[in-house]
Amino acid sequence: MSQDYRFDLVTAFSTASLNISADDFSSRNPNEFYSGSDLAWVMFSSGLVLLMVPGLGLFYSGISERCSAISMMWLSMMTTALIGIQWFLWGYTITFTGSRRMWGGVGGVAFHSDLTIPWGNKPGTKIPQLSYAFYQGIFACFTAAVVSGAAIRKGRPLHFLVFIFIWSTFVYDLIARSSWNPVGWSNYWKGESSGVFDFAGGTVVHIVSATTSAVYSIFFKWRRTIFRLPRLQQADKNSLNRPYKPHNVVNVVLGTAFLWIGWFGFNGGSALGANLRAVSACISTHLAACAGAVMGSLLEYLAASRRDADAGRFSVVGFCNGAVAGLVAITPAAGYVPYWSAPIFGIAGSFFVALFQDISVAYFDTNEIFVVHGVAGWIGMLLTAGFARADVAALDGYTVIVNHKWEQLGIQISDGLVGMVWSGAMTFLILLFMEAVIIFTRRLRGIPEPDFQLILDQDVILDHEIGDEFTIKTKESNGMALVSLNSHREGHARGEQDERAACARSTVDDAWLADPN
């Protein structure tokens, strides 16, 4: 059966619109029906969003200990590669095909359907489904990469990779469908024209990834209690909760720069065309990041002034955290709010991130993902209800919104809460199922629960890729700590397993880290 598509391609045809059937479309050169500038902007934006993944890896590796830095960088990239395959196989079809509210059809499995046809069938910027699928696929990869930061020091990478593959299918794909698919239920909170205002992923990307990271961290902190496994010794708890400083602030700055640049594709590209709405979104993104960075720096400066040893000094990490908080906060609002309001998002996001920063220790969120992405994401969702304007959304030439103010605030809160509850509950159930399978397999084969072990680079990466000198000195330094460690342990020595656990518990001498030669 032929399907009619309505094109609104002024740039391509110098006419207001063009009605064309699917049969006619398939018999002609498909490039005739699209604006090259819109298509180029979406593809370029996809590349900018992909640039954010190594930026995220640099950020995570920089604020981590040196003995976890390489695996942190690798895991974010590996997660992107894995989710890229998942999106190609069935992620896209779950999210964007079919007419049901919750779950997609099978038309887009392995991209086997005709993806050269337009995305959507409403007036507006028209891009082919293939470019839209690619753009949204990079979003899926980035969201999963955000969660990868929660895996540091908690478990083997293979366990996380299996988890994130399942999680992307049953959590991210469904939440993305609810917000970004025209048939998704988030678009119908108050009738067809009154859905949630989430331009580039306040709930879908940030609140969902933050909640997942928090539940992942809490689960690994309490798994021994949940499954009645042997309790940790005090020495293990001290090792698990020991404070540490960022090992490479240069990586943190580089990661922030990559994220800042990539966010123009993240927010600006969500306009799905080279139009004034994309321009406005990019300007808002930049202003929010600037305001957040300045606010973060000032807050850390004021905090340092209370310490005599640090008075009059600035924090580079505070600057970077503030910038990222501002970028997160403006994400749901960039295409809805006037750019003069963007600094408010940056300042508020940075302030509340700094306010709640200390709670991460309580639930073992080593990289503070929930605070940065969750708190700032919520600030952005709430402020969007107050600042969203119909004339800003209409800068693309076709979007029509109705801001119900206080009712819209309720919609924003409801959408965020649904995202939190679904992602949190499903994350716990996935982890529970995986742990039950692991414990059942061990007991079936008579394999005892292994001793507690922090997972560091030397447990994940080949020695010659880490650097032989670093690996040897790390093992030598940590081996010397075995004597003092055993005085805190009950029982006798456990051979090689105990030696590797001791290696994981110790920190390399700070002086040697500063001068490895």
Side-chain angles (χ1 to χ4, degrees), residues 217-251:
S217 299
I218 293 170
F219 183 89
F220 273 88
K221 185 172 183 177
W222 295 102
R223 62 178 287 273
R224 289 178 177 266
T225 301
I226 295 172
F227 292 97
R228 298 183 178 181
L229 301 173
R231 297 295 182 89
L232 296 180
Q233 301 295 329
Q234 187 59 44
D236 297 323
K237 293 181 180 179
N238 293 340
S239 174
L240 190 66
N241 296 314
R242 74 181 188 275
Y244 63 88
K245 299 177 181 179
H247 95 280
N248 191 331
V249 177
V250 173
N251 277 3

Side-chain angles (χ1 to χ4, degrees), residues 267-283:
N267 289 349
S270 293
L272 302 181
N275 51 55
L276 287 178
R277 194 181 190 191
V279 175
S280 178
C282 287
I283 294 174

Side-chain angles (χ1 to χ4, degrees), residues 288-289 292 320-330 345-346 349-351 353-354 371-372 376-377:
C320 294
N321 278 337
V324 174
L327 291 166
V328 171
I330 198 62
F345 286 77
S350 182
F351 174 80
V353 165
V371 173
V372 175

Side-chain angles (χ1 to χ4, degrees), residues 12 18 27 29-30 43 65 68 85 114 141 176 203 229 235 414 485:
L18 173 69
S27 65
N29 180 0
M43 295 306 296
E65 293 175 295
S68 301
I85 297 298
D114 183 6
C141 294
T203 294
L229 301 173
S414 300
L485 177 67

Side-chain angles (χ1 to χ4, degrees), residues 126-143:
K126 282 291 176 287
I127 56 174
Q129 286 189 24
L130 191 60
S131 62
Y132 187 74
F134 178 62
Y135 181 66
Q136 288 292 345
I138 306 299
F139 268 68
C141 294
F142 174 76
T143 307

